[in-house]
Amino acid sequence: EKMVELDNVVTGVPDNTQQYLPDPPDFPVESTVQYSGGERFPQKTEFRDWPFALLFVLHLLVLIPLLVIAVMAHPVSPTTPVVDPSIDHSIEPSFKPLSWTGFYRLMGGSVFCAAIGLGFSAIWYFLMRTFPREMVYASFALTFVLTLTLGVAIIFLGGFVFGITLVILSLLMPLLLFLLRSRIDFTVILLKVTVDIVNRFKGVLIVSAGGAAAYVSWYFLWLSVVLLWQGSRLPDWAIVAGLVYLFLSLIWTAQVIKNVVHTTIAGTVATWYFQGSSSVTMPSNPTLYSLKRSCTTSFGSICLGSLIVAVLSTLSLLAGVAEKESKNAFVKIVALVAKLILKIFERIIKYLNKYAFTQVAIYGKTYIQAA
């Protein structure tokens, strides 16, 4: 009956001009529900994995002395290059540091792209809300056209093998659509319910936008420190060590911001799913409630899971540099294999983190328990 009711909504049956949101499943109305996975939304819990939250804060504080050192060791004018007579400047370096002019251009381009992306996101959200079934087919069609076009273009540019591969993949898209045709109706229902949840809890949009703004602000702050550090008069080993640390900091902080948003939204949806039918246990603002948990008791777990990804990403970067810079064939092969293995583990951890942080959002588990 629920499926028929949902299908009526998807196919356009009027719903008294209000956004339709199906009733969540009936669960016990206790504020904390016991389940085999643990206690849902525990009211009182200790700070999980708190040493990693402390480590994250300390690692950010380290950026302050790094910035001070970089400024003190920097030339008087950031536009005036420092010429070292002991260096042969006729040799073109494999890595070209970003200039301040490039930094300002990057800022302007990023703001422009962010505005374009925001506009397309709004359009895409409206289309999913209004035409969920058509958007499923449109997504397949768009993927088919883009993949086929890209494959043909690469063939003309000389990449025959890769181009042919993309063309073959694009031609398999209709077959994939045929094989998945029995799942389309349920996919449409999920899209409709998801959009209606967002309409009811608009705080998730604010959290998402706030996360994006925090990431962009952090990125440009980080890039400013990198520009000052790489242009300083410090020894080469100090510059390299500082850049490795800064790269680790970039990925770790970006992952923390992303996962705080993910955990908050997962907690909001789970609160609706498990407690939405009870006016007694349903928080007045489940998004704010979930955000509070993500930034307090569960913040250490988020920092730990994000740190694992950051470490793997940094090691992969170092392996890639070794592969590119080494002149020894054996070292190149070992570095390449190491980079591929690290990338595989990084993707596995990212995949598991999506569900681990959902466990964290619902049950308040530690990261190891959740993962």
Side-chain angles (χ1 to χ4, degrees):
E1 292 178 6
K2 179 62 64 178
M3 293 294 289
V4 172
E5 188 178 336
L6 286 168
D7 188 60
N8 290 337
V9 174
V10 173
T11 53
V13 174
D15 56 3
N16 298 325
T17 70
Q18 296 181 354
Q19 286 299 319
Y20 177 80
L21 191 62
D23 292 331
D26 292 328
F27 288 98
V29 297
E30 288 84 358
S31 59
T32 55
V33 183
Q34 292 294 332
Y35 178 62
S36 58
E39 180 184 345
R40 299 190 188 107
F41 316 113
Q43 300 296 321
K44 295 181 180 180
T45 182
E46 60 185 8
F47 285 82
R48 305 295 191 182
D49 301 311
W50 64 265
F52 294 95
L54 179 61
L55 181 62
F56 177 75
V57 174
L58 292 177
H59 117 274
L60 290 178
L61 294 178
V62 171
L63 296 179
I64 298 176
L66 285 181
L67 180 60
V68 173
I69 294 172
V71 171
M72 293 179 63
H74 205 275
V76 177
S77 173
T79 60
T80 303
V82 178
V83 179
D84 189 340
S86 64
I87 299 177
D88 183 2
H89 293 278
S90 63
I91 301 176
E92 187 71 17
S94 58
F95 171 72
K96 296 182 178 180
L98 180 66
S99 65
W100 284 99
T101 302
F103 171 72
Y104 295 133
R105 290 177 178 175
L106 182 61
M107 284 188 65
S110 299
V111 172
F112 175 77
C113 290
I116 296 296
L118 182 62
F120 274 110
S121 298
I123 294 173
W124 197 261
Y125 174 76
F126 171 78
L127 292 175
M128 283 198 304
R129 177 182 175 182
T130 311
F131 309 104
R133 185 178 299 276
E134 290 77 3
M135 288 303 295
V136 173
Y137 291 100
S139 298
F140 273 95
L142 188 60
T143 304
F144 168 77
V145 172
L146 291 178
T147 306
L148 180 62
T149 303
L150 182 60
V152 173
I154 291 177
I155 292 175
F156 277 103
L157 292 175
F160 185 77
V161 176
F162 185 49
I164 289 295
T165 303
L166 289 179
V167 170
I168 294 175
L169 289 176
S170 67
L171 296 178
L172 291 176
M173 287 297 299
L175 176 61
L176 179 63
L177 179 61
F178 176 78
L179 295 176
L180 297 178
R181 65 190 186 280
S182 61
R183 303 184 182 185
I184 290 178
D185 288 340
F186 186 61
T187 303
V188 171
I189 292 174
L190 291 180
L191 277 177
K192 184 70 177 177
V193 171
T194 301
V195 170
D196 286 340
I197 291 175
V198 174
N199 286 337
R200 177 175 175 179
F201 306 113
K202 291 183 172 58
V204 298
L205 296 177
I206 300 176
V207 171
S208 299
Y215 173 77
V216 172
S217 301
W218 157 246
Y219 176 71
F220 285 118
L221 174 63
W222 174 87
L223 197 56
S224 301
V225 178
V226 169
L227 281 170
L228 290 170
W229 187 264
Q230 71 180 13
S232 65
R233 296 175 178 176
L234 295 170
D236 290 343
W237 66 266
I239 293 178
V240 172
L243 290 177
V244 171
Y245 179 83
L246 287 170
F247 182 80
L248 173 67
S249 178
L250 170 68
I251 302 300
W252 191 8
T253 306
Q255 284 291 313
V256 167
I257 295 172
K258 169 181 173 292
N259 291 325
V260 165
V261 173
H262 171 73
T263 306
T264 300
I265 295 178
T268 302
V269 177
T271 302
W272 163 81
Y273 186 81
F274 289 113
Q275 298 182 336
S277 60
S278 173
S279 60
V280 177
T281 61
M282 183 71 168
S284 58
N285 191 335
T287 306
L288 182 61
Y289 182 67
S290 299
L291 178 62
K292 178 183 177 181
R293 294 200 308 270
S294 299
C295 295
T296 53
T297 55
S298 297
F299 188 67
S301 302
I302 293 174
C303 291
L304 173 55
S306 302
L307 177 60
I308 296 175
V309 173
V311 170
L312 290 173
S313 182
T314 303
L315 293 176
S316 176
L317 171 72
L318 295 176
V321 172
E323 176 200 358
K324 181 178 180 181
E325 299 296 334
S326 177
K327 297 181 180 179
N328 187 299
F330 177 75
V331 174
K332 282 182 172 290
I333 293 175
V334 172
L336 175 61
V337 173
K339 183 177 72 171
L340 292 177
I341 293 175
L342 289 167
K343 279 295 182 183
I344 291 173
F345 274 103
E346 180 185 347
R347 292 191 178 188
I348 290 174
I349 295 299
K350 285 183 177 179
Y351 176 80
L352 295 178
N353 276 356
K354 295 180 181 179
Y355 301 97
F357 290 133
T358 302
Q359 292 274 318
V360 169
I362 299 174
Y363 303 108
K365 296 180 178 180
T366 66
Y367 176 77
I368 297 301
Q369 291 172 334

